[in-house]
Coordinates of all heavy atoms in Angstrom, one line a residue:
M1 N 5.1 -36.0 -11.0 CA 5.5 -37.4 -10.8 C 5.9 -37.7 -9.3 O 6.4 -36.8 -8.7 CB 7.0 -37.5 -11.6 CG 7.8 -38.8 -11.3 SD 9.3 -38.8 -12.3 CE 9.6 -40.5 -12.4
E2 N 5.4 -38.8 -8.8 CA 5.6 -39.1 -7.4 C 6.4 -40.4 -7.4 O 6.0 -41.4 -8.2 CB 4.3 -39.3 -6.7 CG 4.4 -39.3 -5.2 CD 3.1 -39.2 -4.5 OE1 2.4 -38.0 -4.6 OE2 2.7 -40.1 -3.8
I3 N 7.4 -40.5 -6.6 CA 8.3 -41.7 -6.6 C 8.8 -42.0 -5.3 O 9.0 -41.0 -4.5 CB 9.5 -41.4 -7.6 CG1 10.3 -42.7 -7.8 CG2 10.4 -40.3 -7.2 CD1 11.4 -42.4 -9.0
S4 N 8.8 -43.2 -4.9 CA 9.3 -43.6 -3.6 C 10.8 -43.4 -3.5 O 11.5 -43.4 -4.5 CB 9.0 -45.1 -3.2 OG 9.7 -46.0 -4.0
V5 N 11.3 -43.4 -2.3 CA 12.8 -43.3 -2.0 C 13.5 -44.5 -2.7 O 14.6 -44.2 -3.4 CB 13.1 -43.2 -0.5 CG1 14.7 -43.3 -0.3 CG2 12.6 -42.0 0.1
R6 N 13.0 -45.7 -2.6 CA 13.7 -46.8 -3.1 C 13.7 -46.7 -4.6 O 14.7 -47.0 -5.3 CB 12.9 -48.0 -2.7 CG 13.5 -49.4 -3.3 CD 12.9 -50.6 -2.6 NE 13.5 -50.8 -1.4 CZ 12.9 -51.2 -0.3 NH1 11.6 -51.6 -0.4 NH2 13.5 -51.4 0.7
D7 N 12.5 -46.4 -5.3 CA 12.5 -46.2 -6.7 C 13.3 -45.0 -7.2 O 14.0 -45.1 -8.2 CB 11.0 -45.9 -7.2 CG 10.2 -47.3 -7.1 OD1 10.9 -48.3 -7.0 OD2 8.9 -47.2 -7.1
F8 N 13.4 -44.0 -6.4 CA 14.2 -42.9 -6.7 C 15.7 -43.2 -6.8 O 16.5 -42.8 -7.7 CB 14.0 -41.7 -5.7 CG 15.0 -40.5 -5.9 CD1 14.6 -39.7 -7.1 CD2 16.1 -40.2 -5.1 CE1 15.5 -38.6 -7.3 CE2 16.9 -39.1 -5.5 CZ 16.6 -38.3 -6.4
Q9 N 16.2 -44.1 -5.9 CA 17.5 -44.5 -5.9 C 17.9 -45.2 -7.2 O 19.0 -45.1 -7.8 CB 17.8 -45.4 -4.6 CG 17.9 -44.6 -3.4 CD 17.9 -45.6 -2.2 OE1 17.6 -46.8 -2.3 NE2 18.4 -45.0 -1.1
V10 N 16.9 -46.0 -7.8 CA 17.1 -46.8 -9.0 C 16.9 -45.9 -10.2 O 17.6 -45.9 -11.2 CB 16.2 -48.0 -9.1 CG1 16.3 -48.7 -10.4 CG2 16.4 -48.8 -7.8
Q11 N 16.0 -45.0 -10.1 CA 15.5 -44.1 -11.3 C 16.0 -42.7 -11.2 O 15.3 -41.8 -11.7 CB 14.0 -44.3 -11.5 CG 13.6 -45.7 -11.8 CD 12.0 -45.8 -11.7 OE1 11.3 -44.8 -11.4 NE2 11.5 -47.0 -11.9
V12 N 17.1 -42.4 -10.5 CA 17.4 -41.0 -10.3 C 17.6 -40.2 -11.5 O 17.2 -39.1 -11.6 CB 18.7 -40.9 -9.4 CG1 19.9 -41.4 -10.1 CG2 18.9 -39.5 -8.9
L13 N 18.1 -40.8 -12.6 CA 18.3 -40.0 -13.8 C 16.9 -39.7 -14.4 O 16.8 -38.6 -15.0 CB 19.1 -40.8 -14.8 CG 20.6 -40.9 -14.4 CD1 21.4 -41.8 -15.4 CD2 21.3 -39.7 -14.2
E14 N 16.0 -40.6 -14.4 CA 14.7 -40.4 -15.0 C 14.0 -39.2 -14.1 O 13.4 -38.4 -14.7 CB 13.8 -41.6 -15.0 CG 14.4 -42.6 -16.0 CD 13.7 -44.0 -15.7 OE1 12.6 -44.1 -15.1 OE2 14.3 -45.0 -16.1
A15 N 14.1 -39.2 -12.9 CA 13.5 -38.2 -11.9 C 14.1 -36.9 -12.2 O 13.4 -35.9 -12.3 CB 13.7 -38.6 -10.5
L16 N 15.5 -36.8 -12.4 CA 16.0 -35.6 -12.7 C 15.6 -35.1 -14.0 O 15.5 -33.8 -14.2 CB 17.6 -35.7 -12.6 CG 18.2 -36.0 -11.3 CD1 19.7 -36.3 -11.4 CD2 17.9 -34.7 -10.3
A17 N 15.6 -35.9 -15.1 CA 15.1 -35.5 -16.4 C 13.6 -34.9 -16.3 O 13.3 -33.9 -17.0 CB 15.1 -36.6 -17.4
A18 N 12.8 -35.5 -15.5 CA 11.4 -35.0 -15.4 C 11.4 -33.6 -14.7 O 10.7 -32.8 -15.1 CB 10.6 -36.0 -14.6
A19 N 12.2 -33.5 -13.7 CA 12.3 -32.2 -13.1 C 12.9 -31.1 -14.0 O 12.4 -30.0 -14.1 CB 13.2 -32.3 -11.8
E20 N 13.9 -31.5 -14.8 CA 14.4 -30.5 -15.8 C 13.4 -30.1 -16.8 O 13.4 -29.0 -17.3 CB 15.6 -31.2 -16.5 CG 16.4 -30.3 -17.3 CD 17.7 -30.9 -17.9 OE1 17.7 -32.1 -18.1 OE2 18.8 -30.2 -18.0
R21 N 12.5 -31.1 -17.2 CA 11.4 -30.6 -18.0 C 10.3 -29.7 -17.4 O 9.5 -29.3 -18.2 CB 10.6 -32.0 -18.5 CG 11.4 -32.8 -19.5 CD 10.7 -33.8 -20.1 NE 10.0 -34.7 -19.1 CZ 10.5 -35.8 -18.6 NH1 11.7 -36.3 -19.0 NH2 9.7 -36.6 -17.8
G22 N 10.4 -29.5 -16.2 CA 9.5 -28.6 -15.5 C 8.5 -29.4 -14.6 O 7.6 -28.8 -14.0
E23 N 8.6 -30.7 -14.6 CA 7.6 -31.5 -13.8 C 8.0 -31.4 -12.3 O 9.1 -31.3 -12.0 CB 7.6 -33.0 -14.2 CG 7.2 -33.3 -15.6 CD 7.2 -34.7 -15.9 OE1 6.8 -35.6 -15.0 OE2 7.5 -35.1 -17.0
R24 N 7.0 -31.5 -11.5 CA 7.3 -31.6 -10.1 C 7.5 -33.0 -9.7 O 6.6 -33.9 -10.0 CB 6.0 -31.1 -9.2 CG 6.1 -31.2 -7.7 CD 4.8 -30.8 -7.1 NE 4.7 -31.3 -5.8 CZ 4.2 -32.5 -5.3 NH1 3.7 -33.2 -6.2 NH2 4.2 -32.7 -4.1
V25 N 8.6 -33.3 -9.1 CA 8.9 -34.8 -8.7 C 8.9 -34.8 -7.2 O 9.7 -34.1 -6.5 CB 10.3 -35.1 -9.2 CG1 10.7 -36.6 -8.8 CG2 10.4 -34.9 -10.7
A26 N 7.9 -35.5 -6.7 CA 7.8 -35.7 -5.2 C 8.4 -37.0 -4.8 O 8.0 -38.1 -5.3 CB 6.3 -35.6 -4.8
I27 N 9.2 -37.0 -3.8 CA 9.8 -38.2 -3.4 C 9.2 -38.6 -2.0 O 9.1 -37.8 -1.2 CB 11.3 -38.0 -3.1 CG1 12.0 -37.6 -4.5 CG2 12.1 -39.3 -2.6 CD1 13.5 -37.1 -4.3
T28 N 8.7 -39.8 -1.9 CA 7.9 -40.2 -0.8 C 8.6 -41.3 0.0 O 9.4 -42.1 -0.5 CB 6.5 -40.7 -1.2 OG1 6.7 -41.9 -2.0 CG2 5.7 -39.6 -2.0
R29 N 8.2 -41.4 1.3 CA 8.6 -42.5 2.2 C 7.4 -42.8 3.0 O 6.8 -41.9 3.6 CB 9.7 -42.0 3.1 CG 10.1 -43.3 4.1 CD 11.2 -42.8 5.1 NE 12.5 -42.6 4.5 CZ 13.3 -41.6 4.8 NH1 13.0 -40.8 5.7 NH2 14.4 -41.5 4.1
D30 N 7.0 -44.0 2.9 CA 5.7 -44.5 3.6 C 4.5 -43.7 3.1 O 3.6 -43.4 4.0 CB 6.0 -44.5 5.1 CG 7.0 -45.4 5.6 OD1 7.2 -46.5 5.0 OD2 7.7 -45.1 6.5
G31 N 4.4 -43.3 1.9 CA 3.4 -42.5 1.3 C 3.4 -41.1 1.6 O 2.5 -40.3 1.2
Q32 N 4.3 -40.6 2.4 CA 4.4 -39.1 2.8 C 5.5 -38.5 1.9 O 6.6 -39.0 1.8 CB 4.7 -39.0 4.2 CG 3.7 -39.7 5.2 CD 2.4 -38.9 5.1 OE1 2.3 -37.7 5.0 NE2 1.3 -39.7 5.0
V33 N 5.2 -37.3 1.3 CA 6.2 -36.6 0.6 C 7.3 -36.1 1.6 O 7.0 -35.4 2.5 CB 5.6 -35.5 -0.1 CG1 6.7 -34.5 -0.9 CG2 4.6 -35.9 -1.2
I34 N 8.6 -36.4 1.3 CA 9.7 -36.0 2.2 C 10.6 -35.0 1.4 O 11.3 -34.3 2.0 CB 10.5 -37.1 2.6 CG1 11.1 -37.9 1.5 CG2 9.7 -38.0 3.6 CD1 12.1 -38.9 1.9
A35 N 10.5 -34.9 0.0 CA 11.3 -34.0 -0.7 C 10.6 -33.8 -2.0 O 9.9 -34.6 -2.5 CB 12.7 -34.6 -0.9
E36 N 11.0 -32.6 -2.7 CA 10.5 -32.4 -4.0 C 11.7 -31.8 -4.9 O 12.6 -31.2 -4.4 CB 9.4 -31.3 -4.0 CG 8.2 -31.7 -3.4 CD 7.1 -30.6 -3.5 OE1 7.4 -29.5 -4.0 OE2 6.0 -30.8 -2.9
L37 N 11.7 -32.3 -6.2 CA 12.6 -31.8 -7.1 C 11.9 -30.8 -8.0 O 10.8 -31.1 -8.5 CB 13.1 -32.9 -7.9 CG 14.0 -34.0 -7.2 CD1 14.5 -35.1 -8.1 CD2 15.3 -33.3 -6.6
N38 N 12.6 -29.7 -8.3 CA 12.1 -28.7 -9.3 C 13.2 -28.3 -10.3 O 14.4 -28.3 -9.8 CB 11.5 -27.5 -8.6 CG 10.3 -27.9 -7.7 OD1 9.3 -28.4 -8.1 ND2 10.4 -27.4 -6.5
S39 N 12.9 -27.8 -11.3 CA 13.9 -27.3 -12.2 C 14.4 -26.0 -11.7 O 13.8 -25.2 -11.1 CB 13.3 -27.0 -13.6 OG 14.0 -26.3 -14.4
A40 N 15.7 -25.9 -11.8 CA 16.4 -24.7 -11.3 C 16.3 -23.5 -12.3 O 16.7 -22.4 -12.0 CB 17.9 -25.0 -11.1
K41 N 15.7 -23.7 -13.4 CA 15.7 -22.7 -14.5 C 14.5 -21.8 -14.2 O 13.4 -21.9 -14.8 CB 15.5 -23.3 -15.9 CG 16.7 -24.1 -16.3 CD 16.4 -24.8 -17.6 CE 17.6 -25.7 -18.0 NZ 17.3 -26.5 -19.2
G42 N 14.7 -20.7 -13.3 CA 13.8 -19.8 -13.1 C 12.6 -20.1 -12.3 O 11.8 -19.2 -12.0
S43 N 12.5 -21.3 -11.8 CA 11.3 -21.7 -11.1 C 11.3 -21.0 -9.7 O 10.1 -20.6 -9.3 CB 11.3 -23.2 -10.9 OG 12.4 -23.6 -10.1
A44 N 12.4 -20.8 -9.1 CA 12.4 -20.1 -7.7 C 12.0 -18.7 -7.9 O 11.2 -18.1 -7.1 CB 13.8 -20.2 -7.1
S45 N 12.6 -18.0 -8.9 CA 12.2 -16.6 -9.1 C 10.7 -16.4 -9.5 O 10.0 -15.5 -9.1 CB 13.1 -15.9 -10.1 OG 12.9 -16.5 -11.4
A46 N 10.2 -17.3 -10.4 CA 8.8 -17.2 -10.8 C 7.9 -17.5 -9.6 O 7.0 -16.8 -9.4 CB 8.6 -18.3 -11.8
R47 N 8.2 -18.4 -8.7 CA 7.5 -18.7 -7.6 C 7.5 -17.7 -6.6 O 6.5 -17.3 -6.0 CB 8.0 -20.1 -7.0 CG 7.1 -20.6 -5.8 CD 7.6 -22.0 -5.3 NE 9.0 -22.0 -4.9 CZ 9.9 -22.7 -5.6 NH1 9.6 -23.3 -6.8 NH2 11.1 -22.7 -5.2
N48 N 8.7 -17.0 -6.4 CA 8.8 -15.9 -5.5 C 8.0 -14.7 -5.9 O 7.3 -14.1 -5.1 CB 10.3 -15.5 -5.3 CG 11.0 -16.6 -4.4 OD1 10.4 -17.4 -3.7 ND2 12.4 -16.6 -4.5
S49 N 8.0 -14.4 -7.2 CA 7.3 -13.3 -7.6 C 5.8 -13.5 -7.6 O 4.9 -12.6 -7.2 CB 7.7 -12.9 -9.0 OG 7.4 -13.9 -9.9
S50 N 5.4 -14.8 -7.8 CA 3.9 -15.1 -7.7 C 3.6 -14.9 -6.3 O 2.5 -14.5 -6.0 CB 3.8 -16.5 -8.3 OG 2.4 -17.0 -8.0
D51 N 4.3 -15.6 -5.3 CA 4.1 -15.5 -3.9 C 4.0 -14.0 -3.4 O 3.1 -13.7 -2.6 CB 5.1 -16.2 -3.1 CG 5.1 -17.7 -3.3 OD1 4.1 -18.2 -3.8 OD2 6.1 -18.4 -2.9
L52 N 4.8 -13.2 -4.0 CA 4.9 -11.7 -3.6 C 3.5 -11.1 -4.1 O 2.9 -10.3 -3.3 CB 6.1 -11.1 -4.1 CG 6.3 -9.6 -3.8 CD1 6.3 -9.4 -2.3 CD2 7.4 -9.1 -4.5
G53 N 3.2 -11.4 -5.3 CA 1.9 -10.8 -5.7 C 0.7 -11.3 -4.9 O -0.2 -10.4 -4.7
E54 N 0.7 -12.5 -4.6 CA -0.4 -13.0 -3.7 C -0.5 -12.4 -2.4 O -1.5 -12.0 -1.9 CB -0.3 -14.6 -3.6 CG -0.7 -15.3 -4.9 CD -0.4 -16.9 -4.8 OE1 -0.3 -17.3 -3.6 OE2 -0.3 -17.5 -5.9
A55 N 0.8 -12.2 -1.9 CA 0.9 -11.5 -0.5 C 0.4 -10.1 -0.5 O -0.3 -9.7 0.4 CB 2.3 -11.6 0.0
R56 N 0.7 -9.4 -1.7 CA 0.3 -8.1 -1.7 C -1.2 -8.0 -1.9 O -1.9 -7.1 -1.3 CB 0.9 -7.4 -3.0 CG 2.4 -7.1 -2.8 CD 2.9 -6.3 -4.0 NE 4.4 -6.0 -3.7 CZ 5.3 -5.8 -4.7 NH1 4.9 -5.9 -5.9 NH2 6.5 -5.4 -4.3
E57 N -1.8 -8.9 -2.7 CA -3.3 -9.0 -2.7 C -3.9 -9.2 -1.4 O -4.9 -8.5 -1.0 CB -3.7 -10.0 -3.7 CG -3.4 -9.7 -5.2 CD -3.8 -10.9 -6.1 OE1 -4.5 -11.8 -5.7 OE2 -3.3 -10.8 -7.2
R58 N -3.4 -10.1 -0.6 CA -4.0 -10.4 0.7 C -3.8 -9.2 1.6 O -4.7 -8.9 2.4 CB -3.3 -11.6 1.3 CG -3.8 -13.0 0.7 CD -3.3 -14.2 1.5 NE -1.9 -14.2 1.7 CZ -0.9 -14.8 0.9 NH1 -1.3 -15.4 -0.2 NH2 0.3 -14.8 1.4
L59 N -2.6 -8.5 1.6 CA -2.4 -7.4 2.3 C -3.4 -6.2 2.0 O -3.9 -5.6 2.9 CB -1.0 -6.9 2.1 CG -0.6 -5.5 3.0 CD1 -0.7 -5.9 4.5 CD2 0.9 -5.3 2.6
D60 N -3.6 -6.0 0.7 CA -4.5 -5.0 0.3 C -6.0 -5.3 0.8 O -6.7 -4.4 1.3 CB -4.6 -4.8 -1.2 CG -3.4 -4.2 -1.8 OD1 -2.7 -3.6 -1.0 OD2 -3.1 -4.3 -3.0
I61 N -6.4 -6.5 0.8 CA -7.7 -7.0 1.2 C -7.8 -6.7 2.8 O -8.8 -6.2 3.3 CB -7.9 -8.4 0.9 CG1 -8.1 -8.6 -0.6 CG2 -9.2 -9.0 1.7 CD1 -8.2 -10.1 -1.0
A62 N -6.7 -7.1 3.4 CA -6.8 -6.9 4.9 C -6.8 -5.4 5.2 O -7.4 -5.0 6.2 CB -5.5 -7.6 5.6
R63 N -6.0 -4.6 4.6 CA -5.9 -3.1 4.9 C -7.3 -2.5 4.6 O -7.7 -1.7 5.4 CB -5.0 -2.4 3.9 CG -3.5 -2.7 4.3 CD -2.5 -1.9 3.5 NE -2.4 -0.6 4.1 CZ -2.7 0.5 3.4 NH1 -2.9 0.5 2.1 NH2 -2.7 1.7 3.9
T64 N -8.0 -3.0 3.4 CA -9.3 -2.4 3.2 C -10.3 -2.8 4.2 O -11.1 -2.0 4.7 CB -9.8 -2.9 1.8 OG1 -8.8 -2.5 0.8 CG2 -11.1 -2.4 1.5
A65 N -10.2 -4.1 4.8 CA -11.1 -4.7 5.7 C -11.0 -3.9 7.0 O -12.0 -3.7 7.7 CB -11.0 -6.2 5.9
A66 N -9.8 -3.5 7.4 CA -9.5 -2.8 8.6 C -9.7 -1.3 8.5 O -9.6 -0.5 9.5 CB -8.1 -3.1 9.1
G67 N -10.0 -0.9 7.3 CA -10.2 0.6 7.0 C -8.8 1.4 6.9 O -8.9 2.6 6.9
L68 N -7.8 0.7 6.8 CA -6.4 1.4 6.7 C -6.2 1.9 5.4 O -5.3 2.7 5.2 CB -5.4 0.4 7.2 CG -5.5 -0.1 8.7 CD1 -4.4 -1.1 8.8 CD2 -5.4 1.1 9.6
D69 N -6.9 1.6 4.4 CA -6.7 2.0 3.0 C -7.0 3.5 2.9 O -6.6 4.2 1.9 CB -7.4 1.3 2.0 CG -9.0 1.2 2.3 OD1 -9.3 1.4 3.4 OD2 -9.7 1.2 1.2
K70 N -7.8 4.1 3.9 CA -8.2 5.5 3.8 C -7.2 6.4 4.6 O -7.3 7.5 4.6 CB -9.6 5.6 4.5 CG -10.6 4.9 3.6 CD -12.0 4.9 4.4 CE -13.0 4.1 3.6 NZ -12.9 2.7 3.9
I71 N -6.3 5.7 5.3 CA -5.3 6.5 6.1 C -4.0 6.7 5.4 O -3.5 5.8 4.8 CB -5.0 5.7 7.5 CG1 -6.3 5.6 8.3 CG2 -3.9 6.5 8.2 CD1 -6.2 4.7 9.5
V72 N -3.6 8.0 5.3 CA -2.4 8.3 4.7 C -1.3 8.6 5.7 O -1.5 9.4 6.6 CB -2.6 9.5 3.7 CG1 -1.1 9.8 3.1 CG2 -3.5 9.3 2.7
L73 N -0.3 7.8 5.7 CA 0.8 7.9 6.8 C 1.8 9.0 6.4 O 2.3 9.0 5.2 CB 1.5 6.6 6.9 CG 0.6 5.4 7.4 CD1 1.4 4.1 7.4 CD2 -0.1 5.7 8.7
H74 N 2.1 9.9 7.3 CA 3.0 10.9 7.0 C 4.0 10.9 8.2 O 3.6 10.8 9.3 CB 2.5 12.3 6.9 CG 1.5 12.5 5.7 ND1 2.0 12.6 4.4 CD2 0.2 12.6 5.6 CE1 1.0 12.7 3.6 NE2 -0.1 12.8 4.3
S75 N 5.2 10.8 7.9 CA 6.3 10.8 8.9 C 7.3 11.9 8.6 O 8.2 11.6 7.7 CB 6.8 9.5 9.2 OG 7.9 9.6 10.2
P76 N 7.3 13.1 9.3 CA 8.4 14.1 9.0 C 9.7 13.6 9.3 O 10.7 14.0 8.6 CB 8.0 15.2 9.9 CG 7.1 14.7 11.0 CD 6.4 13.4 10.4
L77 N 9.9 12.6 10.2 CA 11.3 12.1 10.4 C 11.8 11.3 9.2 O 13.0 11.4 9.0 CB 11.2 11.2 11.6 CG 10.9 11.9 13.0 CD1 10.9 10.8 14.1 CD2 11.9 13.0 13.3
D78 N 10.9 10.7 8.5 CA 11.4 10.0 7.2 C 12.0 11.0 6.3 O 13.0 10.7 5.7 CB 10.3 9.3 6.6 CG 9.9 8.1 7.3 OD1 10.7 7.6 8.2 OD2 8.8 7.5 7.1
E79 N 11.4 12.2 6.1 CA 11.8 13.2 5.1 C 13.2 13.7 5.6 O 14.2 13.9 4.8 CB 10.9 14.2 5.0 CG 11.3 15.2 3.8 CD 11.6 14.6 2.5 OE1 10.9 13.6 2.1 OE2 12.4 15.1 1.8
I80 N 13.3 14.0 6.9 CA 14.5 14.6 7.5 C 15.6 13.5 7.3 O 16.8 13.8 6.9 CB 14.4 15.0 9.0 CG1 13.4 16.1 9.1 CG2 15.7 15.2 9.6 CD1 13.0 16.3 10.5
W81 N 15.4 12.3 7.6 CA 16.4 11.3 7.5 C 16.8 11.0 6.1 O 17.9 11.0 5.7 CB 15.8 9.9 8.0 CG 16.8 8.8 7.9 CD1 17.7 8.5 8.8 CD2 16.9 7.9 6.9 NE1 18.5 7.4 8.4 CE2 17.9 7.0 7.2 CE3 16.2 7.7 5.7 CZ2 18.4 5.9 6.3 CZ3 16.6 6.6 4.9 CH2 17.6 5.9 5.2
R82 N 15.8 11.1 5.1 CA 16.1 10.9 3.7 C 17.0 12.0 3.2 O 18.0 11.9 2.4 CB 14.8 10.9 2.8 CG 15.0 10.5 1.4 CD 13.7 10.4 0.7 NE 12.8 9.4 1.2 CZ 11.6 9.7 1.8 NH1 11.2 10.9 1.9 NH2 10.9 8.7 2.2
Q83 N 16.8 13.3 3.7 CA 17.6 14.5 3.2 C 19.1 14.2 3.7 O 20.0 14.4 2.9 CB 17.1 15.7 3.7 CG 15.8 16.1 2.9 CD 15.2 17.4 3.6 OE1 15.6 17.9 4.7 NE2 14.1 17.8 3.0
Q84 N 19.2 13.7 5.0 CA 20.5 13.5 5.6 C 21.2 12.4 4.8 O 22.4 12.4 4.5 CB 20.4 13.2 7.1 CG 20.1 14.5 7.8 CD 19.9 14.1 9.3 OE1 19.8 13.0 9.7 NE2 19.9 15.2 10.1
F85 N 20.4 11.3 4.6 CA 21.0 10.1 4.0 C 21.4 10.4 2.5 O 22.5 9.9 2.1 CB 19.9 8.9 3.9 CG 20.5 7.7 3.3 CD1 21.2 6.9 4.1 CD2 20.2 7.3 2.1 CE1 21.7 5.7 3.7 CE2 20.6 6.1 1.5 CZ 21.4 5.3 2.4
D86 N 20.8 11.2 1.7 CA 21.1 11.6 0.4 C 22.3 12.4 0.4 O 23.0 12.7 -0.7 CB 20.0 12.3 -0.3 CG 18.8 11.2 -0.7 OD1 19.2 10.1 -0.6 OD2 17.7 11.7 -1.0
D87 N 22.7 13.1 1.5 CA 23.9 14.0 1.6 C 25.2 13.1 1.6 O 25.4 12.3 2.5 CB 23.8 14.9 2.8 CG 24.9 15.8 2.9 OD1 25.8 15.9 2.0 OD2 25.0 16.5 4.0
P88 N 26.1 13.3 0.6 CA 27.4 12.5 0.7 C 28.1 12.6 2.0 O 28.8 11.7 2.3 CB 28.2 13.1 -0.5 CG 27.2 13.8 -1.4 CD 26.0 14.2 -0.5
A89 N 28.0 13.6 2.7 CA 28.7 13.8 3.9 C 28.2 12.9 5.0 O 28.9 12.3 5.8 CB 28.5 15.2 4.5
F90 N 26.9 12.5 4.9 CA 26.3 11.5 5.8 C 26.9 10.2 5.6 O 27.3 9.5 6.5 CB 24.8 11.4 5.5 CG 24.0 10.5 6.4 CD1 23.7 10.7 7.7 CD2 23.7 9.1 5.8 CE1 23.0 9.7 8.4 CE2 23.1 8.2 6.6 CZ 22.9 8.4 7.9
S91 N 27.1 9.7 4.2 CA 27.7 8.5 4.0 C 29.2 8.4 4.4 O 29.5 7.4 5.0 CB 27.6 8.1 2.4 OG 26.3 8.2 2.0
R92 N 29.9 9.5 4.2 CA 31.3 9.5 4.7 C 31.3 9.3 6.2 O 32.1 8.5 6.8 CB 32.0 10.8 4.2 CG 32.3 10.8 2.7 CD 33.2 11.9 2.3 NE 32.6 13.2 2.5 CZ 31.9 13.8 1.6 NH1 31.7 13.4 0.5 NH2 31.4 15.1 1.9
A93 N 30.5 10.0 6.9 CA 30.5 10.0 8.3 C 30.1 8.6 8.8 O 30.7 8.1 9.7 CB 29.5 11.1 8.9
A94 N 29.0 8.1 8.1 CA 28.6 6.7 8.6 C 29.7 5.7 8.4 O 29.7 4.7 9.1 CB 27.3 6.3 7.8
L95 N 30.5 5.8 7.3 CA 31.6 4.8 6.9 C 32.9 5.2 7.7 O 33.9 4.5 7.5 CB 31.8 4.8 5.5 CG 30.6 4.3 4.7 CD1 30.8 4.4 3.2 CD2 30.4 2.8 5.1
G96 N 33.0 6.4 8.3 CA 34.1 6.7 9.1 C 35.2 7.3 8.1 O 36.4 7.2 8.4
L97 N 34.8 7.9 7.0 CA 35.8 8.4 6.0 C 36.0 9.8 6.3 O 35.2 10.5 6.9 CB 35.2 8.2 4.6 CG 34.9 6.7 4.2 CD1 34.2 6.8 2.9 CD2 36.2 6.0 4.1
P98 N 37.3 10.3 5.9 CA 37.5 11.7 6.2 C 36.5 12.6 5.3 O 36.1 12.2 4.2 CB 39.0 12.0 5.7 CG 39.5 10.6 5.3 CD 38.3 9.6 5.4
K99 N 36.4 13.9 5.9 CA 35.4 14.8 5.1 C 35.7 15.1 3.7 O 34.9 15.2 2.9 CB 35.2 16.0 5.9 CG 34.5 15.9 7.2 CD 34.4 17.1 7.9 CE 33.5 16.9 9.2 NZ 33.2 18.1 10.0
D100 N 37.1 15.0 3.4 CA 37.6 15.4 2.0 C 37.8 14.2 1.2 O 38.2 14.3 0.0 CB 38.9 16.2 2.1 CG 40.0 15.5 2.8 OD1 39.6 14.3 3.4 OD2 41.1 15.9 2.7
W101 N 37.2 13.0 1.6 CA 37.4 11.8 0.8 C 36.5 11.9 -0.4 O 35.4 12.2 -0.3 CB 37.2 10.6 1.6 CG 37.2 9.3 1.0 CD1 38.4 8.5 0.8 CD2 36.2 8.6 0.2 NE1 38.1 7.4 0.1 CE2 36.9 7.3 -0.3 CE3 34.9 8.7 0.0 CZ2 36.2 6.4 -1.1 CZ3 34.2 7.8 -0.8 CH2 34.9 6.6 -1.3
T102 N 37.1 11.3 -1.6 CA 36.3 11.3 -2.8 C 36.5 9.8 -3.3 O 37.5 9.2 -3.2 CB 36.7 12.3 -3.8 OG1 38.1 12.1 -4.1 CG2 36.4 13.6 -3.4
P103 N 35.5 9.3 -4.0 CA 35.7 7.9 -4.5 C 36.7 7.9 -5.7 O 36.9 8.7 -6.3 CB 34.3 7.5 -5.0 CG 33.5 8.8 -5.1 CD 34.2 9.8 -4.2
P104 N 37.4 6.7 -5.7 CA 38.4 6.6 -6.8 C 37.7 6.7 -8.1 O 36.6 6.2 -8.3 CB 39.1 5.3 -6.5 CG 38.2 4.5 -5.6 CD 37.4 5.6 -4.9
A105 N 38.4 7.2 -9.2 CA 37.8 7.3 -10.5 C 37.9 6.0 -11.3 O 38.5 5.1 -11.0 CB 38.5 8.4 -11.2

């Protein structure tokens, strides 16, 4: 549904009902879309997951084209950091807690 600002002011309830049904409602001024209404029921999460999937596909294509899909990255610092991070003493030190601190039950 496309509706002008002037018509939107008069037909706001109809436009909101259309958006609630899942329709895209474009609000225009001088023929240019200035705003869109969408249903709040899961549309953002569905759009974000769809965008993420498309981005991953584009990234895979780019990595393959650049030959990076054949390179395996190894970083020994990551493993050292992960071992330290998994140690409860690391978390206590990072948060400035005493060495003998335990979480409340």
Side-chain angles (χ1 to χ4, degrees):
M1 171 181 205
E2 195 167 295
I3 188 169
S4 69
V5 172
R6 177 171 284 141
D7 290 339
F8 177 73
Q9 291 171 334
V10 175
Q11 301 171 356
V12 66
L13 293 178
E14 293 167 24
L16 291 174
E20 191 173 31
R21 288 190 305 270
E23 293 180 40
R24 174 185 167 269
V25 178
I27 303 168
T28 62
R29 178 181 295 138
D30 298 326
Q32 300 295 317
V33 176
I34 60 169
E36 290 183 4
L37 294 177
N38 296 306
S39 173
K41 297 177 184 172
S43 63
S45 63
R47 186 172 55 250
N48 288 342
S49 65
S50 173
D51 291 348
L52 183 58
E54 291 173 15
R56 285 183 178 157
E57 288 176 19
R58 288 193 306 270
L59 179 61
D60 287 343
I61 291 168
R63 289 186 78 236
T64 302
L68 297 175
D69 58 330
K70 298 174 183 79
I71 298 173
V72 179
L73 300 176
H74 296 286
S75 177
L77 293 178
D78 285 345
E79 185 57 35
I80 293 168
W81 180 85
R82 190 176 300 114
Q83 289 172 356
Q84 290 176 345
F85 183 78
D86 288 342
D87 182 2
F90 176 84
S91 298
R92 286 193 295 271
L95 296 171
L97 300 171
K99 290 183 181 183
D100 59 349
W101 182 87
T102 56

